[in-house]
Amino acid sequence: MTPPPPQPPPSGPNPAADSAADPRPGPGPLVILFGATAGALGQDLGSDETDLILLVWQVVEPRSRQVGTLHKSLVRAEAAALSPQCREASGLSADSLARAEPLDKVLQQFSQLVSGDVALLGGGPYMLCTDGQQLLRQVLHPEASRKNLALPDTFFSFYDLRREFHMQHPSTRPARDLTVATMAQDLGLETDATEDDFGVWEVKTMVAVILHLLDGPSGQLFSKPEVVKQKYETGPCSKADMVDSETVVRARGLPWQSSDQDVARFFTGLNIARGGVALCLNAQGRRNGEALIRFVDSEQRDLALQRHKHHMGVRYIEVYKATGEEFVKIAGGTSLEVARFLSREDQVILRLRGLPFSAGPADVLGFLGPECPVTGGADGLLFVRHPDGRPTGDAFALFACEELAQAALRRHKGTLGKRYIELFRSTAAEVQQVLTRYASSPLLPTLTAPLLPIPFPLAAGAGRDCVRLRGLPYTATIEDILSFLGEAAADIRPHGVHMVLNQQGRPSGDAFIQMTSAERALAAAQRCHKKAMKERYVEVVPCSTEEMSHVLMGGTLGRSGMSPPPCKLPCLSPPTYATFQATPTLIPTETAALYPSSALLPAARVPAAPTPVAYYPGPATQLYMNYTAYYPSPPVSPTTVGYLTTPPAALASAPTSVLSQPGALVRMQGVPYTAGMKDLLSIFQAYQLAPDDYTSLMPVGDPPRTVLQAPKEWVCL
């Protein structure tokens, strides 16, 4: 459709002079803008990340009530496929879009034509007016960001016709539920029902609605435009801040190297609150691919939720609702040192990792060099330290502008002394998280009170009365396994479900189940083999109690047979034990032989006098054991640890015990390198058994005994 040429101004009075001399307050020229994408329309416009294919606009002069020429322009889309909804509503085809101009050319034509129409109607700065906020916030700004296009300043402020209509007619439906048709219907306007050109009817009707609103009490109309922030503002957040849960979302699946500016660019077009991007860190202080984002109001949050599974590069990002408490927990802080460091506004923050522990401010400033000066010199550096003042090797630096930060990032993996230094973009929230984590962490990890082991036997059955489950999902629980077995779950022995964990304490994907008989085990294997659990098929094969115990003790069970538990010595056979001449580290038999090969935990200890000793070659041996969590059908049993059986030859050749009391072997993982003997002993304070009062293991049904006495002796292996 070719638009008619613009009408020249009427002879006689000059409309420009009349509008300039008009004492009535009112807005300047309005550009009524309508757009459509190749995908969803209406309220879902822009939610499917499809390209813009159509722009229709017309200029209105509110004070003189004059209207300019109506223009319509097609936009070439990179993905020419049209959704059925768009094809039916617009009547467009992929061939017509292929002949259209790209978005950057269309925007140039838009600016030129609008400027010409505004000049004919009297001149002055103009403002865009749209039906809702989706066209600008969800379509134009995100697409321009993806295509690296710079939008003119006129696209960063606009009037929302729905909000302006609701301001004058608040008794009607909510602003978000209004449409062009419902606004015209509420005002009783007659529209051209014969107009079938897609987008033209919408613009003409919007013009009629605006002129009708201007004829009413228009003192507050078109006075407060919507603003699109051009730049994300960084800043600190305090734990005392109250954050509305209706303004926070969680983004998941971010690239680990993404910064707060990258997250803000993903949500371009939406107004993020100052300091509203909080990147989440894992237990090791590294980014885990999640972020919490706080917006200025709930309407912006609702638009952000529509970007669920939009893309950042080649990755799609999941967007979910979050709470204000979660945001404050991640982004908030109480340290005065951090508050002073982050008090400088509009600063770019970089994180330095891997610094030598002896490095000071002068060393870091020298490493960065004079070409990228830190804001405030040494005052612009924040070193992260342990509670006792020891450095962690991390630091944060402030830079006055993006160019200086880019120059500093070129020093990534440069060397300081004999160490290479990693540099990353950081955020105020990350500074708070890192400082809070180190300030609140104890010198040694806090351990929960140890449970007294309640021993119960692994009842040996005849034949292959167990089944082994291989390929379980790592998230599988005992309820999932019982549901997976179905009717066969009724044939499980008490304490008969054993989930195998690896050396890091994580699920290995294996589990053993003791059945009431070999026939029941075979029937369960035939019924459930390669049955699906959480989109994974699980292998179910029969095995014996001996094979199960072997794997639980750290061995392997393959198609070629059983392999012994691995160790760093070439062999731990009984003859090898007997040939050791070095002073052995001694452990009483009650400890090392706590779990014989036929049963992981015996029913009771067998007293002996004098006490024979099991012996492991001191630092030369490293034992590898599978940590096995027991999830039995009722009653409940605790988590237990298995020990390797002491070879009989070692018992025969061992000297008399030098320990006066029975003991137990405890393996501690994750001990800090700086921990000393006093630190280790303080962990077990008030938890040691009183050997005089605990000379034998109690039966399964007995309640746990209270620890009453202080420790008497300790042996460290």
Side-chain angles (χ1 to χ4, degrees):
M1 170 181 173
T2 304
Q7 299 294 329
S11 58
N14 187 349
D18 290 345
S19 62
D22 192 350
R24 294 180 301 169
L30 298 176
V31 180
I32 314 305
L33 183 64
F34 173 83
T37 66
L41 302 175
Q43 295 284 4
D44 297 328
L45 185 69
S47 61
D48 51 4
E49 210 176 5
T50 53
D51 289 344
L52 186 72
I53 61 170
L54 175 68
L55 280 180
V56 184
W57 68 90
Q58 191 173 21
V59 179
V60 175
E61 194 358 279
R63 287 171 290 190
S64 64
R65 307 297 196 267
Q66 288 186 305
V67 180
T69 305
L70 190 144
H71 301 274
K72 178 178 180 179
S73 179
L74 297 180
V75 184
R76 184 194 306 166
E78 293 182 357
L82 300 177
S83 68
Q85 179 187 8
C86 178
R87 189 182 300 108
E88 180 182 357
S90 65
L92 299 174
S93 64
D95 295 336
S96 60
L97 293 178
R99 296 189 297 268
E101 296 288 343
L103 180 60
D104 56 342
K105 298 294 184 182
V106 172
L107 292 178
Q108 292 179 7
Q109 297 174 5
F110 171 84
S111 299
Q112 295 171 1
L113 293 174
V114 168
S115 299
D117 290 345
V118 170
L120 288 175
L121 297 178
Y126 61 88
M127 189 78 69
L128 301 180
C129 181
T130 62
D131 174 31
Q133 305 194 30
Q134 282 84 357
L135 176 59
L136 287 177
R137 294 191 183 275
Q138 297 286 73
V139 178
L140 271 172
H141 281 278
E143 184 172 347
S145 177
R146 291 195 303 267
K147 298 179 178 179
N148 293 320
L149 302 179
L151 290 175
D153 292 340
T154 54
F155 287 91
F156 288 88
S157 59
F158 65 98
Y159 290 114
D160 183 357
L161 182 57
R162 299 181 187 181
R163 185 165 294 179
E164 301 296 331
F165 180 89
H166 190 266
M167 186 181 301
Q168 194 175 89
H169 300 273
S171 60
T172 59
R173 65 201 80 197
R176 66 175 60 189
D177 297 334
L178 293 171
T179 63
V180 175
T182 57
M183 286 187 287
Q185 181 181 358
D186 293 340
L187 295 177
L189 299 177
E190 294 184 1
T191 58
D192 186 3
T194 62
E195 181 63 66
D196 58 354
D197 195 359
F198 182 59
V200 174
W201 180 89
E202 285 79 1
V203 171
K204 287 183 177 180
T205 306
M206 291 170 66
V207 171
V209 170
I210 290 174
L211 294 177
H212 189 280
L213 293 177
L214 292 173
D215 290 336
S218 56
Q220 299 297 325
L221 288 179
F222 303 106
S223 59
K224 296 181 180 180
E226 303 290 329
V227 177
V228 180
K229 288 187 177 182
Q230 300 191 36
K231 182 181 178 182
Y232 167 67
E233 301 175 355
T234 61
C237 174
S238 172
K239 288 191 179 294
D241 294 347
M242 299 297 295
V243 178
D244 186 3
S245 295
E246 297 299 318
T247 62
V248 183
V249 300
R250 178 184 295 271
R252 183 179 300 164
L254 300 169
W256 67 269
Q257 71 274 22
S258 58
S259 65
D260 56 345
Q261 298 294 338
D262 298 322
V263 176
R265 184 175 181 181
F266 174 79
F267 289 104
T268 185
L270 306 179
N271 293 342
I272 300 176
R274 181 175 180 267
V277 178
L279 299 174
C280 301
L281 307 181
N282 58 19
Q284 288 73 39
R286 300 177 182 269
R287 297 171 186 171
N288 62 2
E290 295 188 7
L292 293 171
I293 301 93
R294 176 189 179 190
F295 294 91
V296 294
D297 54 40
S298 60
E299 187 175 9
Q300 305 288 313
R301 195 281 301 268
D302 294 339
L303 293 175
L305 291 173
Q306 293 185 355
R307 300 197 185 183
H308 179 61
K309 291 195 174 181
H310 283 204
H311 288 77
M312 179 186 290
V314 297
R315 299 175 63 96
Y316 74 84
I317 309 301
E318 300 175 351
V319 183
Y320 304 99
K321 292 182 179 180
T323 65
E325 291 79 6
E326 291 176 327
F327 181 83
V328 173
K329 181 179 179 181
I330 296 297
T334 57
S335 172
L336 295 178
E337 183 182 14
V338 177
R340 286 194 298 268
F341 177 76
L342 298 175
S343 61
R344 301 178 178 88
E345 297 184 0
D346 299 328
Q347 298 290 317
V348 182
I349 306 175
L350 295 186
R351 181 180 179 181
L352 292 83
R353 192 166 60 197
L355 294 170
F357 294 150
S358 59
D363 301 315
V364 176
L365 294 176
F367 167 76
L368 295 173
E371 62 275 7
C372 43
V374 177
T375 302
D379 294 336
L381 295 174
L382 178 63
F383 289 88
V384 184
R385 301 182 182 278
H386 290 284
D388 58 356
R390 293 179 294 108
T392 64
D394 281 22
F396 294 93
L398 296 177
F399 296 90
C401 61
E402 186 68 27
E403 290 73 16
L404 294 178
Q406 288 287 351
L409 287 173
R410 286 194 285 269
R411 295 286 295 157
H412 179 58
K413 291 196 174 181
T415 57
L416 176 58
K418 295 183 179 181
R419 299 179 62 91
Y420 73 87
I421 311 302
E422 298 175 303
L423 282 86
F424 305 97
R425 291 181 177 274
S426 187
T427 65
E430 184 173 1
V431 176
Q432 298 278 22
Q433 288 182 80
V434 173
L435 269 294
T436 301
R437 176 175 284 111
Y438 280 108
S440 60
S441 61
L443 296 181
L444 285 174
T446 303
L447 300 181
T448 58
L451 297 174
L452 297 179
I454 303 178
F456 56 88
L458 285 178
R464 304 173 69 82
D465 59 344
C466 302
V467 291
R468 181 182 185 182
L469 278 63
R470 291 186 298 201
L472 291 170
Y474 294 138
T475 57
T477 62
I478 181 59
E479 290 78 11
D480 297 327
I481 293 180
L482 296 179
S483 176
F484 170 80
L485 292 175
E487 297 178 356
D491 300 321
I492 301 176
R493 291 188 180 186
H495 306 288
V497 180
H498 313 282
M499 297 184 67
V500 182
L501 309 182
N502 59 20
Q503 294 182 358
Q504 287 74 39
R506 299 175 181 174
S508 64
D510 281 18
F512 288 92
I513 300 177
Q514 291 180 283
M515 311 298 289
T516 55
S517 65
E519 291 77 12
R520 296 295 185 181
L522 180 60
Q526 292 175 343
R527 186 183 303 113
C528 302
H529 184 56
K530 292 194 175 180
K531 182 179 172 182
M533 178 191 295
K534 296 183 178 180
E535 300 182 355
R536 295 191 59 171
Y537 77 87
V538 179
E539 297 180 355
V540 183
V541 294
C543 67
S544 65
T545 305
E546 181 183 3
E547 293 171 336
M548 177 189 67
S549 301
H550 189 81
V551 174
L552 297 183
M553 299 298 291
T556 58
L557 182 61
R559 291 181 175 84
S560 58
M562 296 187 295
S563 300
C567 68
K568 290 189 175 181
L569 289 180
C571 179
L572 282 180
S573 61
T576 305
Y577 276 97
T579 60
F580 275 92
Q581 300 299 325
T583 302
T585 304
L586 303 177
I587 311 172
T589 303
E590 293 87 341
T591 299
L594 185 59
Y595 306 117
S597 58
S598 59
L600 187 61
L601 288 171
R605 294 184 185 178
V606 180
T611 305
V613 188
Y615 134 160
Y616 288 92
T621 306
Q622 180 173 349
L623 304 177
Y624 293 83
M625 302 176 242
N626 287 334
Y627 287 78
T628 308
Y630 292 87
Y631 296 88
S633 51
V636 177
S637 64
T639 299
T640 55
V641 179
Y643 295 91
L644 293 177
T645 306
T646 305
L651 291 176
S653 60
T656 305
S657 173
V658 297
L659 297 177
S660 59
Q661 299 292 344
L665 175 64
V666 178
R667 181 182 181 186
M668 300 173 60
Q669 289 182 313
V671 178
Y673 297 130
T674 57
M677 181 64 68
K678 293 183 178 179
D679 300 321
L680 296 177
L681 294 178
S682 65
I683 295 176
F684 295 95
Q685 186 68 31
Y687 292 128
Q688 290 78 14
L689 298 179
D692 295 338
D693 191 44
Y694 194 74
T695 56
S696 63
L697 294 177
M698 52 190 169
V700 176
D702 287 356
R705 300 191 181 185
T706 306
V707 177
L708 299 176
Q709 297 186 9
K712 295 185 177 181
E713 291 189 57
W714 290 92
V715 175
C716 297
L717 299 183

